[in-house]
Amino acid sequence: MTDHTSHAIRLRSVSRRYGAGDSAVTALDGVSLDFPRGTFTAVMGPSGSGKSTLLQCAAGLDRPTSGSVVVGGTELTGLSERRLTLLRRERVGFVFQAFNLLPSLTAAQNVALPLRLAGRRPSRSRVREALARVGLADRAGHRPTELSGGQQQRVALARALITRPEVLFGDEPTGALDTRTGREVLALLRSMVDGEGQTVVMVTHDPVAASCADRVVFLVDGRPAGELTGAGADAIATRVTRLEAAPC
């Protein structure tokens, strides 16, 4: 018998189609994947392969057309919108490439936002703890325009972590950063997995970023196309190049 508690996320035969008839587009086509707790997984593949759709379905941001998504033992398929919203607020963290910080709020206020939206009053100590976790304890009173790109992304990370989520999802979280700053954010994610047992699932186009993960899952045309475990950037880049090579 499979131990369901050892997996933060389980996808079984997940498909996602948009539209109907001849114009229908299949973004995911019968995907079955497990994401073990306390691991760092990168998701890669050619443009249009379904990477972001996979992330959104796994995080409960989008509903699959068919199949099963289980997060921390909870089946998402039959949940009402209200219960799905509560699950996302309490058990899932999401970090976007564009940071999505509110410019009129300070770093501390941005970090506290998920708890306020949930009707909870965040304690100052909890907000300080989240900012300290990403190395920004001294930037609590700064607004986004007063922070570098890397600092803004770390505020976005702290905001995603304030609810202590079971899974942290990142959709190209280093895509808008320069190389050095991107590496700092990746090192932070890696340390959260190794030191705190956080589960991280990240979509990326960057083989170097993917090499920070425990494993890399590849998608092509909405289907899994193999994976690599503990691979370096060169091996990952070679696999991506093969997947992207169009037949003559």
Side-chain angles (χ1 to χ4, degrees), residues 58-81:
L61 293 171
D62 193 7
R63 288 185 183 271
T65 307
S66 60
S68 167
V69 178
V70 178
V71 174
T74 300
E75 168 65 63
L76 305 192
T77 309
L79 293 184
S80 65
E81 285 299 327

Side-chain angles (χ1 to χ4, degrees), residues 56-186:
Q56 289 163 5
C57 286
L61 293 171
D62 193 7
R63 288 185 183 271
T65 307
S66 60
S68 167
V69 178
V70 178
V71 174
T74 300
E75 168 65 63
L76 305 192
T77 309
L79 293 184
S80 65
E81 285 299 327
R82 179 179 175 277
R83 290 189 62 198
L84 195 57
T85 298
L86 290 174
L87 180 137
R88 287 196 303 263
R89 283 179 181 170
E90 295 172 0
R91 297 166 65 180
V92 167
F94 212 103
V95 180
F96 300 90
Q97 178 176 334
F99 316 144
N100 291 353
L101 301 178
L102 294 182
S104 61
L105 301 183
T106 65
Q109 290 168 335
N110 268 289
V111 169
L113 198 57
L115 294 178
R116 291 195 180 282
L117 290 173
R120 295 152 63 187
R121 175 177 286 183
S123 67
R124 289 185 181 179
S125 61
R126 186 162 173 181
V127 173
R128 278 199 304 269
E129 175 192 333
L131 283 168
R133 194 174 173 190
V134 299
L136 289 178
D138 59 342
R139 294 289 189 271
H142 290 65
R143 287 182 169 78
T145 54
E146 301 171 308
L147 300 171
S148 68
Q151 289 171 333
Q152 290 183 61
Q153 188 59 293
R154 283 189 278 162
V155 171
L157 266 174
R159 181 183 59 190
L161 293 167
I162 189 75
T163 59
R164 299 174 182 139
E166 293 179 30
V167 189
L168 178 66
F169 294 93
D171 196 353
E172 296 280 359
T174 60
L177 305 176
D178 62 71
T179 300
R180 182 182 62 81
T181 307
R183 300 297 171 261
E184 291 175 357
V185 170
L186 288 166

Side-chain angles (χ1 to χ4, degrees), residues 6 12 14 21 25 39 46 49 85 92 98 100 130 144 155-157 161 195 209 227 241 246:
S6 66
R12 288 294 176 268
V14 170
V25 174
T39 62
S49 60
T85 298
V92 167
N100 291 353
V155 171
L157 266 174
L161 293 167
E227 59 182 70
T241 301

